[in-house]
Amino acid sequence: MTDPALKPESQPTFSVRWVAASVGMLAFLVFLPTVNYDFVNWDDPWYVINNELIENWSLENLHGIATESVARNYAPLTIFSFLVDRTFWGLNPTGFHLTNVLLHTINAVLVFYLVRQLTGRWRLAWAVAAVFAVHPLQIETVAWISSRKGLLSGAFMLASLLCWLRPERTGKHEAWGIIFLAAALFSKALAVVLPAIVLSYDLFVRRQKFAEAFPRQIIPGCLSLWVLGVTMGAQTTIVGGTRAHFDLSRWELLAVDATILWQYVGMLAWPTDLCVLYDPPTRNILLPAVCAVIGWMAVAVWAWRNRDSHSDLLFAFVCWVLLLIPVMNLFPLTTLMNDRYLYLPCIPVLTVAFAGVRVGWLKLVSMTESGESMRIVTRVSGAMAVGCVILAATLATQQRLPVWRNGMTLWSDAIEKTPTLTVVRIQWANTLQAAGHTEEACNVLRGALVETAPDEINTRRIREKLEAWSDRPDDSQVTLRKPTPHRG
């Protein structure tokens, strides 16, 4: 019997554009409440509130946008988008949030078209795009104004992949792919992985020879390496966030990354206890690290051995890894893991998950009596299951979304979940002080000095704040424990 999962899928009786529009509408409605949210004191002052580059359209500012790094990132198109928003909205956060929501809406539609193009199945594409649109892990990317770079870069990356990931590419496709790549790179350096993704597609899916596929990626690769070099230089000029993992060796970091990758898979399946900053263990994790590495090696070996019959699964696995490589601290980043890192990497995982369930279900149905009634039951039950997943994700997002309403809600949530992080204590103190609770803020900082073992940089920051905020002359003389590596 022919595998029903491999039969061509009939086109919908209505326009595919309406299907795509429904995904966009879902993304827009779920995240629309963020237009009433405020700025937060987490990079928003750097990117928007105190950013002189976006105050006006002077030639000096435009030159600065094109050449300068802001908050450890070289992202001129992202900063330019903030200039446009500020021109129309001033410092009213509504407009900035609305732009983020619209970008996410566009991205959800692009995900639908990309998955449909790669799989040939519009129902599967709709399911993947719909969950992408409403998943709680997208909250940080959409609700945080400073995460605009991920949204803007994501839009151009998806557009570029729509041009490149196709069985046959014309010169026009190649040209537009490079243009979109450049735009993505100038929005966020994460796009440096695009040439490697396209090369993997050509090798594993199109079955091209390396000598034929590689030359096409020379120009995109050189452009990506240049932007990566600029960004790496910017990352070392401003140091914030968490830094304890800077002391780890390359092998220790890879072990930590392996465990974090499995945590990401778990967060996609069961997104609970989300937070603006995480405190993953980095010490005494030999057994979990070994298990994580063995697990990923098993996945990689299985995907490679089945590359001929399941080249799409191998490609999905490669995409998952490549999209996360830029945030795996192969060069120093001031965070180990964040929700926003999964914005695009969730796409291959969701696609494989939905496709796997579909294939399994259809094979199970094929063992029973076939007929029109069974096909109807299959489709209805499948639609109900997908609907339940989307509903659950939407409800979880609606519950989590208000955390990003303002700095007070954001850091009160973080202080409950990751009180061991010095930076969380500092941000909570900043929030309290800005709200007029100066003495409480000072107490938070004093507690951070003796309870979180801050490093030299954070110790200096805390002492400076205590000296500025407190009436007590001895605050800067607090006895400190010798800083120890951050364990998590």
Side-chain angles (χ1 to χ4, degrees), residues 106-133:
I106 292 171
N107 289 345
V109 173
L110 291 175
V111 168
F112 168 79
Y113 279 113
L114 180 60
V115 176
R116 174 175 172 265
Q117 178 174 294
L118 290 172
T119 65
R121 302 188 177 281
W122 66 269
R123 292 186 181 88
L124 173 64
W126 190 90
V128 172
V131 176
F132 169 88

Side-chain angles (χ1 to χ4, degrees), residues 291-306:
C291 293
V293 170
I294 292 175
W296 286 119
M297 289 179 63
V299 173
V301 169
W302 183 90
W304 180 255
R305 286 185 174 179
N306 292 274

Side-chain angles (χ1 to χ4, degrees), residues 465-486:
K465 290 179 183 294
L466 284 173
E467 183 177 352
W469 295 349
S470 179
D471 294 328
R472 292 176 54 181
D474 60 340
D475 278 329
S476 62
Q477 306 299 322
V478 176
T479 302
L480 304 179
R481 291 189 298 160
K482 182 178 179 180
T484 56
H486 175 60

Side-chain angles (χ1 to χ4, degrees), residues 129-255:
V131 176
F132 169 88
V134 302
H135 200 287
L137 283 173
Q138 313 294 42
I139 292 174
E140 180 172 284
T141 304
V142 183
W144 184 24
I145 291 173
S146 292
S147 198
R148 168 80 57 81
K149 54 188 179 292
L151 291 165
L152 196 58
S153 178
F156 289 122
M157 289 176 70
L158 291 168
S160 182
L161 292 175
L162 275 168
C163 293
W164 276 333
L165 303 187
R166 54 181 63 236
E168 299 296 332
R169 297 199 295 270
T170 65
K172 184 178 180 180
H173 292 140
E174 297 283 2
W176 276 109
I178 293 177
I179 292 172
F180 287 133
L181 168 64
L185 287 168
F186 292 142
S187 301
K188 186 178 182 180
L190 173 68
V192 296
V193 302
L194 273 181
I197 290 176
V198 178
L199 178 62
S200 300
Y201 178 80
D202 288 345
L203 294 176
F204 303 138
V205 180
R206 297 181 71 196
R207 307 296 176 90
Q208 286 187 327
K209 294 181 179 180
F210 183 82
E212 181 183 359
F214 180 76
R216 293 188 175 190
Q217 303 308 318
I218 292 178
I219 294 177
C222 290
L223 180 61
S224 298
L225 289 175
W226 175 73
V227 173
L228 178 63
V230 173
T231 301
M232 288 178 65
Q235 287 287 334
T236 61
T237 58
I238 303 174
V239 181
T242 60
R243 292 176 295 275
H245 56 282
F246 284 11
D247 295 330
L248 299 178
S249 69
R250 191 71 68 194
W251 290 107
E252 289 174 323
L253 269 176
L254 289 175

